[in-house]
């Protein structure tokens, strides 16, 4: 097996292991729901609805999935319980496809301009700064020149943590003193990155949500200042969410999407939870693609989200 074959095998193993608790929880409940039953009937569908909701898929997305399965049952007249997993897998994959979630397999970036600018948002404690460090690692490993901007100037720990990640990964971190204007940090970061022909710029921001007006104004100011250096910046506004919080992550996503235009999401800490279903619900309800998932503590454990691989791992037969 060649290098890329070994790499993809390891990636698949990491994904399977990271989603193991979600998968086992999901399938054990389904197995109980269909025990002793030969066909998918109203009783099975009622139990499936409860399973999806308690797996943090969310009420609205769950109802959408149930309606689709009901339509298939009505069309086919008889659907055996042995087919239920395959039907669920099909419908979840279809939902993710409808939400513009692309299957990402490499760390390439658009080639029409440089640098590519990612503005990262999210509340404190979700793994935002860690995700930025892991993104920097992955982009650098892919041969990209990366600059980081420490624009969360309200917490000394945030600047320090990002600086530590910069040292670990071997990429420059642009920072100012505590309490400095975040927009000024963003301006300095983009200016330095542009002057040094960087490929990627990742900007950290304060994780506050208690004052929506203040947050909205701050993010707008950062974006406006960025455009003075690079008119197309930011290319991406990435929302980081903690998958282990289930529906709380969904509520955070709704609140952030109300104050700024979220273009992509990263869902972290999926390896320590049985709430992997939240990825499906958040993507479906917000119509924003999940782009990255966190599956462990290692720098390589942040993966590009591939909906086919995600659904395959969630429904992996070896876990039944």
């Amino acid at each position: 097996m060649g290098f890329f074959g070994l790499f993809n095998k390891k990636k698949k193993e990491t994904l399977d292991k990271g989603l193991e608790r979600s998968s086992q929880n999901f399938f054990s409940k389904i197995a109980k729901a269909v025990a002793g039953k030969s066909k998918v009937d109203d009783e099975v569908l009622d139990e499936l609805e409860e399973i999806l909701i308690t797996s943090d898929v969310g009420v609205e997305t769950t109802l959408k999935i149930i309606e689709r399965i009901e339509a298939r049952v009505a069309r086919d007249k008889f659907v055996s319980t042995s087919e239920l997993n395959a039907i669920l897998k099909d419908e979840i994959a279809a939902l993710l496809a409808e939400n513009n979630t692309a299957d990402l397999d490499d760390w390439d970036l658009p080639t029409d301009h440089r640098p590519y600018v990612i503005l990262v948002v999210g509340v404190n404690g979700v793994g935002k700064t860690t995700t930025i460090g892991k993104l920097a690692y992955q982009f650098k490993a892919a041969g990209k020149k990366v600059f980081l901007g420490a624009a969360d100037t309200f917490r000394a720990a945030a600047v320090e943590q990002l600086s530590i990640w910069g040292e670990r990964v071997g990429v420059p971190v642009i920072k100012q003193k505590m309490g400095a204007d975040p927009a000024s940090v963003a301006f300095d970061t983009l200016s330095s990155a542009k002057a040094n022909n960087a490929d990627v710029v990742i900007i950290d921001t304060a994780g506050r949500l208690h004052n929506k007006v203040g947050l909205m104004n701050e993010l707008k100011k950062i974006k406006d200042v960025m455009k003075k250096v690079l008119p197309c910046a930011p290319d991406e506004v990435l929302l980081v969410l903690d998958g282990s919080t289930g529906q709380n992550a969904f509520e955070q996503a709704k609140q952030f999407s109300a104050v700024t235009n979220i273009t992509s999401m990263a869902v972290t800490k999926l390896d320590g939870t049985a709430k992997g279903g939240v990825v499906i619900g958040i993507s479906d309800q917000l119509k924003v693609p999940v782009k990255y998932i966190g599956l462990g503590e290692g720098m390589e454990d942040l993966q590009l989200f591939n909906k086919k691989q995600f659904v395959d791992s969630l429904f992996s037969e070896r876990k039944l």
Side-chain angles (χ1 to χ4, degrees):
M1 183 182 293
F3 171 78
F4 287 106
L6 288 169
F7 176 78
N8 288 330
K9 183 174 184 290
K10 183 181 179 183
K11 180 182 175 184
K12 176 70 164 58
E13 289 172 350
T14 300
L15 184 60
D16 286 347
K17 188 173 185 301
L19 294 177
E20 188 169 12
R21 289 182 62 182
S22 293
S23 182
Q24 287 177 339
N25 177 59
F26 198 50
F27 280 118
S28 65
K29 290 178 179 177
I30 291 177
K32 291 177 183 177
V34 302
K37 298 183 174 67
S38 61
K39 70 173 184 176
V40 176
D41 55 19
D42 289 343
E43 185 179 349
V44 169
L45 287 172
D46 286 344
E47 292 195 47
L48 178 59
E49 181 178 320
E50 183 178 346
I51 290 166
L52 289 169
I53 291 173
T54 56
S55 298
D56 285 275
V57 173
V59 175
E60 291 184 40
T61 303
T62 291
L63 293 177
K64 193 179 293 187
I65 293 171
I66 295 297
E67 285 174 5
R68 292 181 179 212
I69 295 176
E70 284 177 334
R72 290 182 69 158
V73 170
R75 183 185 68 230
D76 299 339
K77 305 303 180 188
F78 181 91
V79 175
S80 70
T81 52
S82 62
E83 297 175 87
L84 185 57
N85 287 343
I87 292 172
L88 260 176
K89 182 177 176 180
D90 288 347
E91 296 303 338
I92 289 171
L95 274 182
L96 290 170
E98 290 166 13
N99 301 331
N100 299 316
T101 297
D103 286 338
L104 302 173
D105 294 307
D106 57 53
W107 293 83
D108 281 343
L109 295 166
T111 57
D112 58 334
H113 69 277
R114 285 289 184 271
Y116 184 86
V117 182
I118 304 172
L119 183 66
V120 183
V121 301
V123 300
N124 296 330
V126 297
K128 180 163 54 74
T129 308
T130 299
T131 297
I132 292 171
K134 291 178 178 180
L135 278 173
Y137 168 81
Q138 294 283 19
F139 280 124
K140 186 179 180 186
K144 313 296 182 188
K145 190 173 184 179
V146 185
F147 271 60
L148 303 181
D152 183 355
T153 59
F154 294 91
R155 288 191 310 129
V159 176
E160 182 181 353
Q161 186 183 6
L162 194 66
S163 298
I164 291 170
W165 271 105
E167 291 175 8
R168 288 178 65 187
V169 178
V171 301
V173 178
I174 308 302
K175 56 189 176 181
Q176 294 183 12
K177 63 182 180 180
M178 271 290 296
D181 183 1
S184 176
V185 178
F187 182 88
D188 286 353
T189 305
L190 263 63
S191 298
S192 182
K194 184 178 179 181
N196 287 278
N197 298 313
D199 296 300
V200 191
V201 175
I202 309 173
I203 305 284
D204 191 12
T205 63
R208 298 167 300 156
L209 199 58
H210 62 277
N211 184 340
K212 292 183 183 179
V213 175
L215 177 64
M216 181 168 60
N217 291 339
E218 181 178 301
L219 292 175
K220 182 179 184 304
K221 185 178 179 183
I222 291 173
K223 289 179 181 179
D224 289 345
V225 167
M226 282 182 171
K227 293 184 186 303
K228 293 180 180 179
V229 184
L230 296 167
C232 58
D235 297 283
E236 186 176 329
V237 179
L238 174 68
L239 173 64
V240 180
L241 299 166
D242 179 350
S244 69
T245 63
Q247 287 304 295
N248 284 338
F250 179 51
E251 288 304 314
Q252 287 175 19
K254 285 200 298 184
Q255 292 182 60
F256 267 98
S257 65
V259 300
T260 192
N261 180 32
I262 304 299
T263 61
S264 62
M265 294 184 288
V267 184
T268 67
K269 307 179 186 181
L270 288 174
D271 56 306
T273 182
K275 299 178 182 288
V278 73
V279 172
I280 302 161
I282 288 175
S283 175
D284 174 57
Q285 291 303 302
L286 295 183
K287 306 302 180 190
V288 175
V290 175
K291 195 168 183 180
Y292 312 101
I293 51 175
L295 299 162
E297 295 297 323
M299 287 196 286
E300 70 283 355
D301 291 335
L302 181 75
Q303 291 192 3
L304 289 164
F305 184 72
N306 180 300
K307 63 179 180 294
K308 182 180 184 303
Q309 293 171 1
F310 177 84
V311 174
D312 283 347
S313 287
L314 194 60
F315 285 83
S316 180
E317 293 293 332
R318 70 176 179 80
K319 297 175 185 142
L320 288 171

